[in-house]
Amino acid sequence: MRPRLHAVLAEPRVSPAPSRTWRDWAVVAVLGPAIVLEGISRPDLPWRVGCVVVTLALLPTLLWRRRAPLAMVVIAFGCTTVAPFVLPGDPCQLFTASFLVVLVHALFRWGSGRDAVIGSFFVVAKVTTAGLVGSVDGGELVAGFAVMFAAAALGVATRFRAAARLRELDQVKLLERERLARDLHDTVAHHVSAMAIRAQAGIAASAGQPGAAVEALRTIEAEASRALAEMRAMVRVLRRDEPADLGPHPQVADIGRLAGQFRTGPTVDVELYGDLGDLPPTVGSALYRLAQESVTNARRHARHATRIEVSVAADDTTVRLRVSDDGETGTARPAGSPGFGLVGMMERADLLGGTCEAGPNPGRGWTVTAVLPRAGVGR
């Protein structure tokens, strides 16, 4: 029991908490007149003016419920707990005072474990006090506890669902980093291997002429061999015991093969502009991966698409990739939270110092745009 309690108390706050939006102000703007209107239209309240004033005073707690959930719960439920002993009536007898349930949800959604435990005492105290002073009967008391528990449970469920998605996104980013590391390793390993071979050839050619050059070549060979061994050991861990891919990695020129790769579905047209011959292997490989992923996503999600256009244009400083389709933009391709494939594409572009964006076109279709620095310099 103690380890579980310790784990709950050690649960940190969700950070960063989302900022206040126009929806929060809209809710307050709607609830304010509603509280006044209910106070006017309910003559059964013991002291209508006091109940309306207290409820209106607690309404701004909705605006700070994410940034300071415990403080808002303490203020709201502390005041409503004391109010029946000070005022002739209970402010929570107003139906519009039900917005206090939102504070309970925010406490368990955004607060720390310690905040949730402390805030729960104030919530339980309020509901219990309402039963003791006779504001609610036995059935309403049970219903009150049930509503507060449901709000807390919903806050916990939403919290852990968001945390699970963040972990999945982090996993996608880590996998994309691993793929990029493998590409970097294979590219650098090729050059290091060439250094070792050239050093060995230099040693063989100058065997009859010993001197400083021979010693330098031997040093180059030793350093190249050591660097290659260390890099292979590092990537052996990154590969998670997967065998090395000894084949050449695809480059920008290989994007043209996407046009004839699919026999069914929308046609794929590829156009290349500018000088693409001297791009670094990491940039060329990244452009191919981004184009391949974008085309795959378009074929999978673009409804009634007939054409997918892929264009790569290079200038003196950047290379721009654009993949667009003419499919319908519907519920199958939401523009809100990006999917895992898009997250991986964004991560790869970001690691190389570029950007990757995706979204619906003004009319039909969907477009993915990636801009990478020509030199391939990451952060």
Side-chain angles (χ1 to χ4, degrees):
M1 185 66 181
R2 286 186 177 181
R4 293 182 180 180
L5 179 60
H6 179 73
V8 171
L9 295 176
E11 178 71 19
R13 291 189 58 184
V14 177
S15 181
S19 58
R20 193 180 302 117
T21 65
W22 65 268
R23 295 183 181 87
D24 298 316
W25 292 102
V27 170
V28 172
V30 171
L31 284 177
I35 293 171
V36 175
L37 182 61
E38 183 182 0
I40 296 174
S41 60
R42 286 191 58 186
D44 59 309
L45 293 175
W47 188 29
R48 290 184 290 177
V49 176
C51 292
V52 170
V53 170
V54 173
T55 307
L56 286 175
L58 296 178
L59 188 56
T61 56
L62 292 176
L63 300 176
W64 284 275
R65 69 185 187 277
R66 301 187 188 94
R67 294 294 180 88
L70 176 59
M72 296 304 102
V73 167
V74 170
I75 292 173
F77 285 87
C79 290
T80 53
T81 301
V82 176
F85 300 99
V86 179
L87 302 176
D90 185 357
C92 286
Q93 288 182 341
L94 288 171
F95 298 129
T96 46
S98 58
F99 70 83
L100 296 177
V101 176
V102 178
L103 300 180
V104 179
H105 172 273
L107 175 66
F108 286 85
R109 173 63 179 91
W110 306 107
S112 65
R114 190 177 299 273
D115 292 345
V117 173
I118 297 174
S120 298
F121 285 108
F122 285 86
V123 175
V124 172
K126 166 55 195 165
V127 179
T128 304
T129 301
L132 293 176
V133 300
S135 299
V136 295
D137 56 24
E140 292 174 333
L141 182 64
V142 174
F145 276 112
V147 170
M148 295 302 175
F149 178 80
L154 180 61
V156 172
T158 307
R159 179 192 190 109
F160 284 101
R161 180 180 179 184
R165 176 167 177 81
L166 287 178
R167 286 194 296 270
E168 290 177 345
L169 292 175
D170 289 340
Q171 182 67 20
V172 171
K173 292 180 179 181
L174 288 174
L175 290 175
E176 193 63 29
R177 286 175 178 268
E178 177 183 334
R179 292 169 183 165
L180 183 58
R182 293 177 63 173
D183 291 346
L184 288 170
H185 162 264
D186 293 334
T187 300
V188 176
H190 170 75
H191 293 295
V192 175
S193 299
M195 288 172 54
I197 293 174
R198 290 179 181 180
Q200 292 171 358
I203 293 174
S206 59
Q209 302 176 1
V214 176
E215 186 65 26
L217 289 174
R218 286 175 177 169
T219 302
I220 292 175
E221 179 190 13
E223 291 297 328
S225 300
R226 187 179 299 110
L228 185 59
E230 291 175 352
M231 188 168 294
R232 283 174 175 169
M234 176 190 68
V235 177
R236 191 176 299 113
V237 177
L238 291 175
R239 292 182 191 276
R240 298 177 183 175
D241 299 328
E242 294 180 9
D245 184 7
L246 301 180
H249 283 269
Q251 297 297 315
V252 175
D254 297 313
I255 296 178
R257 296 185 302 177
L258 298 174
Q261 187 174 352
F262 309 100
R263 297 182 180 179
T264 60
T267 59
V268 180
D269 296 330
V270 179
E271 295 181 347
L272 306 178
Y273 304 98
D275 183 12
L276 301 171
D278 59 345
L279 291 178
T282 53
V283 176
S285 179
L287 289 170
Y288 177 84
R289 301 297 187 192
L290 294 174
Q292 183 184 46
E293 181 71 20
S294 301
V295 171
T296 301
N297 288 342
R299 289 178 53 83
R300 183 180 302 166
H301 301 296
R303 299 178 56 190
H304 305 139
T306 61
R307 180 185 176 90
I308 301 174
E309 298 180 353
V310 181
S311 65
V312 181
D315 55 27
D316 295 337
T317 58
T318 61
V319 185
R320 184 183 183 90
L321 169 70
R322 185 177 185 273
V323 180
S324 180
D325 63 73
D326 60 353
E328 296 179 359
T329 304
T331 57
R333 296 165 65 170
S337 58
F340 293 151
L342 182 57
V343 170
M345 294 163 61
M346 292 179 175
E347 181 71 8
R348 177 175 283 252
D350 183 68
L351 290 172
L352 292 174
T355 60
C356 181
E357 299 177 351
N361 298 329
R364 289 171 57 94
W366 189 275
T367 297
V368 176
T369 303
V371 180
L372 302 180
R374 187 181 184 91
V377 180
R379 291 182 179 180

